[in-house]
């Protein structure tokens, strides 16, 4: 705590002077402190072990300490922060996923030398939860599947099935470590299996270049402001609880929810996050153009390429969360489409291909509608109703229980006892 206070003094250039009062929140691992510096609002500091940033590349760390001002200025914001700490993915769990990726790549190289294997989805994008399983994407060296519209191509789908079937045979020979191995011939074919060491359900696809870019696109925005991943994880937990987070059932995918959250944070005044397409065009071309080489992203964090400035927005976590629910509850989905790429709402008339969907949210990378699963009026009513109820509930009760969410003190890292006690 003393080190955190010293860091805070240094970063604020001793502009206010006076004492710094430290209150350590009662987390499982005592990793988070609220630093109160009179007379300013509190700041939040997370103390990490020296090697934690190596174990968990999903955490954005500067000098061993991560901090930001104005995350917490009320009890509800403190409760949100505590809840985030409990339900997010632990460094220990991330280490197991990285070990799995490395081991699998070693086995895959027996059949496909030079291929690269990427963690994708919530395990890597900064919005990781304890319950996140493992999604992997295999990229083949000098392969036409790297950039083609392979998901819509029968030839490429057949090639993916062939590759996954060969990898399945490799895993069968290691039955001690892998179980329930099956190739699923979906629109995007996957090899699904169970990893007995990490106790993960694993989905492995081939050549989904866009999926890797989507993952790192969200990772960049998660690094733009420390409030973003905290709010994102909480929104995903809430949406799952209220049955509006399942594209297969005609509601919103996790990717759609986070893109909607980013659009809201852009619309805040002043914005919480920038429009990276507008403010960082060279970096976006380098990392997110459809022909960009993403094969080396296993060793490089593209978020480091974006020099974000601190946001002038000082709203608390509580205010931003309530604002998001209000924003979606009142959004005119009949007429407008959300565009993170342009940092504004665009008339649906400009997206005629989205006419069959009741929710229109432009994919910032490929221009598709990330909410295209919402086609039934009943599902649209359920989504709108969930956001309206959340917005109204928070008007009357500023606590997580108003959203149906409950804290669990054992949720932070159930598989690894704390080394700090």
């Amino acid at each position: 705590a003393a080190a955190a206070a010293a860091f805070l003094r240094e970063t604020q250039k001793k502009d206010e002077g006076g004492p710094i009062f430290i209150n350590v929140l009662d987390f499982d691992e005592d990793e988070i402190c609220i630093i109160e510096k009179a007379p300013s609002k509190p700041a939040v500091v997370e103390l990490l072990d020296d090697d934690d940033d190596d174990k968990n590349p999903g955490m954005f760390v500067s000098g061993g300490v991560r901090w930001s001002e104005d995350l917490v200025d009320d009890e509800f914001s403190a409760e949100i922060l505590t809840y985030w700490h409990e339900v997010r993915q632990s460094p220990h769990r991330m280490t197991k996923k990285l070990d799995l990726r490395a081991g699998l790549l070693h086995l895959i190289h027996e059949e496909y030398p030079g291929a690269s294997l990427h963690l994708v989805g919530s395990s890597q994008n900064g919005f990781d939860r304890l319950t996140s399983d493992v999604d992997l994407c295999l990229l083949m060296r000098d392969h036409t599947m790297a950039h083609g519209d392979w998901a819509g191509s029968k030839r490429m789908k057949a090639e993916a099935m062939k590759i996954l079937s060969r990898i399945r045979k490799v895993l069968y020979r290691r039955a001690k470590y892998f179980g329930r191995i099956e190739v699923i011939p979906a629109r995007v074919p996957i090899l699904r299996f169970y990893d007995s060491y990490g106790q993960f359900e694993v989905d492995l696809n081939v050549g989904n270049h866009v999926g890797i870019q989507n993952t790192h696109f969200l990772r960049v925005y998660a690094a733009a402001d420390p409030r973003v991943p905290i709010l994102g994880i909480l929104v995903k937990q809430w949406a799952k609880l209220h049955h509006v987070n399942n594209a297969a059932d005609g509601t919103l995918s996790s990717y759609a929810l986070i893109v909607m959250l980013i659009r809201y944070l852009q619309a805040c005044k002043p914005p919480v996050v920038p429009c990276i397409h507008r403010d960082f065009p060279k970096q976006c071309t380098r990392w997110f153009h459809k022909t960009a080489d993403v094969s080396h992203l296993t060793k490089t964090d593209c978020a480091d390429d974006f020099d974000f400035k601190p946001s002038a927005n000082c709203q608390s976590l509580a205010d931003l969360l309530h604002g998001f629910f209000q924003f979606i509850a009142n959004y005119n989905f009949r007429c407008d489409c959300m565009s993170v790429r342009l940092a504004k709402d665009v008339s649906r008339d400009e997206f005629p291909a989205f006419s069959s969907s009741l929710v229109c949210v432009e994919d910032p990378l490929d221009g598709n509608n990330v909410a295209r699963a919402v086609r039934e009026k009943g599902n649209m009513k359920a989504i709108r109703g969930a956001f309206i109820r959340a917005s109204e509930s928070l008007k009357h009760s500023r606590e997580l229980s108003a959203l149906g969410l409950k804290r669990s003190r054992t949720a932070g890292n159930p598989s690894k006892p704390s080394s700090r006690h």
Side-chain angles (χ1 to χ4, degrees), residues 81 145 265 301 322 354 364:
L81 184 66
M145 296 175 73
L265 295 174
D301 187 353
H322 191 191
F354 298 172

Side-chain angles (χ1 to χ4, degrees), residues 155-230:
R155 182 183 65 81
M156 290 187 175
K157 181 176 178 178
E159 181 69 12
M161 291 288 293
K162 178 181 176 182
I163 292 170
L164 293 176
S165 295
R166 289 183 66 179
I167 297 173
R168 178 184 59 183
K169 293 179 180 179
V170 173
L171 299 187
Y172 270 137
R173 296 197 293 267
R174 277 82 174 179
K176 176 181 178 181
Y177 305 103
F178 306 107
R180 304 199 292 271
I181 308 167
E182 60 177 333
V183 175
I184 300 176
R187 175 177 176 269
V188 178
I190 60 173
L191 174 63
R192 178 168 292 168
F193 59 93
Y194 180 74
D195 168 47
S196 59
Y197 167 69
Q199 298 181 330
F200 299 121
E201 294 288 344
V202 183
D203 284 351
L204 169 64
N205 68 65
V206 182
N208 191 358
H209 181 269
V210 173
I212 297 174
Q213 289 184 311
N214 288 346
T215 295
H216 289 272
F217 178 81
L218 294 189
R219 185 175 176 84
V220 167
Y221 269 106
D225 187 283
R227 290 168 288 187
V228 179
I230 298 172

Side-chain angles (χ1 to χ4, degrees), residues 151-401:
S153 165
K154 291 183 179 180
R155 182 183 65 81
M156 290 187 175
K157 181 176 178 178
E159 181 69 12
M161 291 288 293
K162 178 181 176 182
I163 292 170
L164 293 176
S165 295
R166 289 183 66 179
I167 297 173
R168 178 184 59 183
K169 293 179 180 179
V170 173
L171 299 187
Y172 270 137
R173 296 197 293 267
R174 277 82 174 179
K176 176 181 178 181
Y177 305 103
F178 306 107
R180 304 199 292 271
I181 308 167
E182 60 177 333
V183 175
I184 300 176
R187 175 177 176 269
V188 178
I190 60 173
L191 174 63
R192 178 168 292 168
F193 59 93
Y194 180 74
D195 168 47
S196 59
Y197 167 69
Q199 298 181 330
F200 299 121
E201 294 288 344
V202 183
D203 284 351
L204 169 64
N205 68 65
V206 182
N208 191 358
H209 181 269
V210 173
I212 297 174
Q213 289 184 311
N214 288 346
T215 295
H216 289 272
F217 178 81
L218 294 189
R219 185 175 176 84
V220 167
Y221 269 106
D225 187 283
R227 290 168 288 187
V228 179
I230 298 172
L231 292 168
I233 290 175
L234 192 143
V235 166
K236 286 168 63 176
Q237 292 284 103
W238 167 84
K240 184 70 70 175
L241 177 67
H242 291 273
H243 309 291
V244 293
N245 179 209
N246 191 337
D249 290 338
T251 57
L252 299 166
S253 67
S254 293
Y255 183 64
L257 280 166
I258 299 301
V259 172
M260 293 165 73
L261 173 64
I262 293 170
R263 174 67 200 106
Y264 159 69
L265 295 174
Q266 290 177 331
C268 291
K269 299 190 182 302
V272 176
V273 297
C275 172
I276 65 170
H277 285 84
R278 179 192 63 214
D279 297 345
F280 301 93
K282 292 182 179 179
Q283 291 90 328
C284 284
T285 298
R286 181 181 304 126
W287 297 109
F288 303 129
H289 190 271
K290 64 181 181 180
T291 60
D293 179 12
V294 298
S295 62
H296 56 284
L297 278 174
T298 55
K299 299 179 181 179
T300 304
D301 187 353
C302 65
D304 294 338
D305 206 16
F306 292 78
D307 184 21
F308 292 115
K309 306 302 180 186
S311 171
N313 185 304
C314 293
Q315 288 179 272
S316 68
L317 289 166
D319 289 340
L320 289 173
L321 180 65
H322 191 191
F324 173 64
F325 287 124
Q326 290 178 316
F327 180 77
I328 302 301
N330 297 317
Y331 194 83
N332 189 351
F333 286 106
R334 184 184 299 272
C335 298
D336 294 331
C337 176
M338 296 185 190
S339 175
V340 165
R341 175 180 59 88
L342 299 174
K344 66 179 183 180
D345 301 325
V346 182
S347 171
R348 285 190 65 132
D349 294 339
E350 297 188 27
F351 297 92
F354 298 172
S355 60
S356 61
S357 300
L358 300 179
V359 177
C360 181
V361 181
E362 182 195 32
D363 189 318
L365 300 186
D366 67 13
N368 289 320
N369 182 8
V370 300
R372 56 185 174 272
V374 186
R375 297 174 180 268
E376 302 294 332
K377 290 184 179 180
N379 289 337
M380 181 67 205
K381 183 178 179 180
I383 293 169
R384 175 83 76 179
F387 277 95
I388 291 173
R389 288 191 298 274
S391 176
E392 292 299 313
S393 295
L394 290 180
K395 286 182 181 179
H396 303 293
S397 178
R398 301 273 280 186
E399 55 187 25
L400 286 177
S401 61

